[in-house]
Amino acid sequence: MNMKKKILKASCSFVSALMAVGMLLQQVSAKTPADTLVMAWNLDAINAFDPAQVNDSYSSEIIHNMCDSLVDTDPNDATKMIPHLAKSWDVTSDHNTVITFHLRDNLKFADGRPASASDLVWSMKRVIQLNMANAATLNEYGITAQTVDSAIYAPDEKTVVMKFDKPYPAELILNNVAANRVAMLLDRETIMKHEKDNDMGNRYLATHAACVGPYQLVSWRPGEAILLRSHSNYWGKHLNLNKF
């Protein structure tokens, strides 16, 4: 987790973040509330909040503050991985590598609906099915349209299994796949309500975010400003939620 991500996740409950430089300069004289963070940011490159599509650094910074992945990087030691959506995991390696992730018990979407292992499996398979930029992350480790059904599955609603085509160092998989955008838990119900022409909600996620994570996307004005807000249904540390 880099410094920008740590700043956002460590900020107080209501996060007003990532405003374009022009707007920030216009408002520099205004007093910023104590629980609000305002940052100058290059928003021109951002055109979506879809984990299957996002592949630029600016969009990635934002989406990692809205959507959690299976594991995360230790903020004090970038070489170590720590629990995130998964509270623990088991690794077996023989003819291939199999990692079994055990999800937290209290994962919820922002509106309070429970999130499950089947939602996460759907989210990861969706990356392959859409075949957009981030499908390459899974393809690199042998997970393709032909193998994804047997490579990623949920034996129950608290467990996700990832089975690879050959032995890989577990640390490599955790860092490059489990901590990646491809392992974010999306709100399948909400996204599929907005599906158009079999796009699996891709156009909806151009202007919305729907996932398990600490912050909600409140508003988005392309190239101008983005507003994120924390919510009380997050599984992690609960921050004070002020409204103004």
Side-chain angles (χ1 to χ4, degrees), residues 11-27:
S11 62
C12 295
S13 64
F14 197 97
V15 177
S16 173
L18 318 179
M19 299 193 73
V21 175
M23 292 189 65
L24 181 63
L25 292 176
Q26 293 174 11
Q27 300 179 22

Side-chain angles (χ1 to χ4, degrees), residues 196-240:
K196 293 183 179 180
D197 302 323
N198 297 316
D199 73 343
M200 301 189 78
N202 175 252
R203 273 173 281 189
Y204 175 73
L205 293 179
T207 55
H208 300 79
C211 54
V212 172
Y215 295 108
Q216 293 176 276
L217 177 62
V218 177
S219 66
W220 163 233
R221 298 198 300 275
E224 295 183 3
I226 183 170
L227 180 65
L228 309 181
R229 182 176 62 193
S230 65
H231 61 88
S232 60
N233 288 310
Y234 183 52
W235 63 265
K237 181 180 179 181
H238 288 279
L239 305 172
N240 294 326

Side-chain angles (χ1 to χ4, degrees), residues 10-177:
S11 62
C12 295
S13 64
F14 197 97
V15 177
S16 173
L18 318 179
M19 299 193 73
V21 175
M23 292 189 65
L24 181 63
L25 292 176
Q26 293 174 11
Q27 300 179 22
V28 69
S29 61
K31 183 178 179 180
T32 301
D35 59 359
T36 299
L37 175 67
V38 178
M39 295 178 66
W41 203 277
N42 181 359
L43 300 180
D44 292 338
I46 300 171
N47 58 15
F49 304 102
D50 190 338
Q53 179 180 359
V54 167
N55 66 348
D56 67 275
S57 60
Y58 296 106
S59 300
S60 181
E61 291 287 352
I62 295 171
I63 202 168
H64 271 285
N65 281 283
M66 293 190 290
C67 306
D68 288 345
S69 51
L70 271 168
V71 302
D72 202 358
T73 306
D74 188 332
N76 299 312
D77 185 349
T79 66
K80 295 181 179 180
M81 307 308 295
I82 58 175
H84 213 34
L85 292 174
K87 61 183 179 181
S88 63
W89 53 88
D90 306 313
V91 180
T92 58
S93 296
D94 188 5
H95 299 296
N96 53 19
T97 296
V98 178
I99 304 183
T100 302
F101 296 93
H102 307 284
L103 302 186
R104 297 181 183 276
D105 294 328
N106 56 340
L107 297 179
K108 296 179 181 179
F109 297 112
D111 63 3
R113 287 177 295 113
S116 68
S118 59
D119 292 316
L120 181 53
V121 169
W122 176 84
S123 302
M124 298 187 72
K125 289 183 176 181
R126 177 180 177 274
V127 174
I128 293 293
Q129 292 167 338
L130 287 177
N131 197 29
M132 303 181 88
N134 292 321
T137 299
L138 295 171
N139 295 163
E140 182 177 355
Y141 297 98
I143 300 177
T144 66
Q146 291 72 40
T147 65
V148 66
D149 287 339
S150 59
I152 304 174
Y153 58 93
D156 58 58
E157 288 306 307
K158 296 296 181 183
T159 309
V160 172
V161 177
M162 298 181 66
K163 186 175 182 179
F164 297 89
D165 60 343
K166 59 184 178 181
Y168 291 101
E171 295 78 9
L172 185 68
I173 298 299
L174 292 173
N175 187 70
N176 292 351
V177 177

